[in-house]
Amino acid sequence: QLQLQESGPGLVTPSETLSLTCSVSGGSISSGSYYWGWIRQPPGKGLEWIGSIYYSGSTYYNPSLKSRVTISVDTSKNQFSLKLSSVTAADTAVYYCARAELDGGLPDYFDYWGQGTLVTVSS
Amino acid sequence: QSVLTQPPSASGTPGQRVTISCSGSSSNIGSNYVYWYQQFPGTAPKLLIYRNNQRPSGVPDRFSGSKSGTSASLAISGLRSEDEADYYCAAWDDSLSGPVFGGGTKLTVL
């Protein structure tokens, strides 16, 4: 059974960089059949897609966050990571990593999700 | 402000059929598949419907999805208390080159 697990600091100082890693078990991130993505959810609010990455390193980013986001993949560790720079309180959210099926070479629906990790931006 | 528009709340009594709407545009729902996710408090979203009307293994056939033009709907028949959750629609958006979500609908079973 595929499992995804987010890890990283739960508290980040404003203006600093938020860094999270998603560890994938029960399947290979290099299988080539999926994209791997990050989605966030501010407390009490809806879902926001951050970006997605293919095992080859090909990425799609949310245009509203693109200038601050970097998603990378480490196939040797079966992990992918998120970096969000210059964070503010508005970036406080539960961050989820997830697997996306492919449709015509593009990321499709997210079928497996991590449990999520709350990241608070505060001094 | 979410790209896809959902009613913030919906409700029904046990056994009833309820529908949740999702409105978009030609760049998302109008030209791409629609997905639905179910989320219970404190847990990750779960895929409920994919490619407009397909159910993943394990999802009861009480849940069904449909799409027409730039709108979509999720229908839940034979409503149960355990269906009380938040429901989100989503679709790929050609303009953004990424998926967009609705704001979510909180379903209450009275």
Side-chain angles (χ1 to χ4, degrees):
Chain A
Q1 177 77 346
L2 189 78
Q3 292 187 323
L4 295 90
Q5 179 68 56
E6 306 88 351
S7 60
L11 181 64
V12 181
T13 303
S15 79
E16 297 295 309
T17 296
L18 178 160
S19 296
L20 295 174
T21 295
C22 182
S23 298
V24 179
S25 59
S28 173
I29 206 168
S30 303
S31 70
S33 300
Y34 309 100
Y35 264 78
W36 306 87
W38 289 97
I39 304 97
R40 70 179 183 178
Q41 184 172 35
K45 296 187 178 181
L47 301 166
E48 180 181 36
W49 170 71
I50 300 170
S52 300
I53 190 166
Y54 194 55
Y55 80 98
S56 64
S58 174
T59 53
Y60 288 90
Y61 294 138
N62 187 323
S64 68
L65 299 170
K66 188 174 184 177
S67 63
R68 299 193 291 129
V69 172
T70 301
I71 297 177
S72 59
V73 63
D74 187 337
T75 55
S76 67
K77 295 182 178 180
N78 223 33
Q79 296 176 336
F80 60 106
S81 299
L82 167 71
K83 291 188 185 298
L84 180 66
S85 63
S86 305
V87 296
T88 68
D91 294 310
T92 294
V94 174
Y95 285 76
Y96 296 99
C97 61
R99 186 184 83 170
E101 285 275 352
L102 280 178
D103 176 40
L106 294 177
D108 204 359
Y109 54 90
F110 295 106
D111 57 354
Y112 283 91
W113 295 64
Q115 65 184 26
T117 186
L118 175 63
V119 178
T120 302
V121 179
S122 175
S123 56
Chain B
Q1 187 99 5
S2 301
V3 175
L4 305 181
T5 301
Q6 298 180 238
S9 64
S11 64
T13 56
Q16 264 191 330
R17 181 178 186 272
V18 297
T19 60
I20 297 171
S21 62
C22 176
S23 178
S25 68
S26 58
S27 66
N28 41 66
I29 293 178
S31 53
N32 296 293
Y33 291 123
V34 177
Y35 318 111
W36 291 91
Y37 298 92
Q38 178 189 56
Q39 185 181 35
F40 296 105
T43 69
K46 168 193 168 185
L47 181 67
L48 200 61
I49 297 288
Y50 68 99
R51 295 180 183 170
N52 300 335
N53 54 21
Q54 302 300 300
R55 286 185 305 276
S57 174
V59 173
D61 59 6
R62 300 186 298 106
F63 295 90
S64 62
S66 64
K67 181 184 115 169
S68 178
T70 59
S71 295
S73 292
L74 172 70
I76 309 172
S77 60
L79 196 63
R80 298 182 176 183
S81 58
E82 57 259 39
D83 298 332
E84 191 163 284
D86 293 325
Y87 293 85
Y88 293 90
C89 61
W92 182 268
D93 190 289
D94 293 332
S95 299
L96 274 60
S97 290
V100 290
F101 290 91
T105 298
K106 183 177 182 60
L107 175 65
T108 301
V109 181
L110 302 170

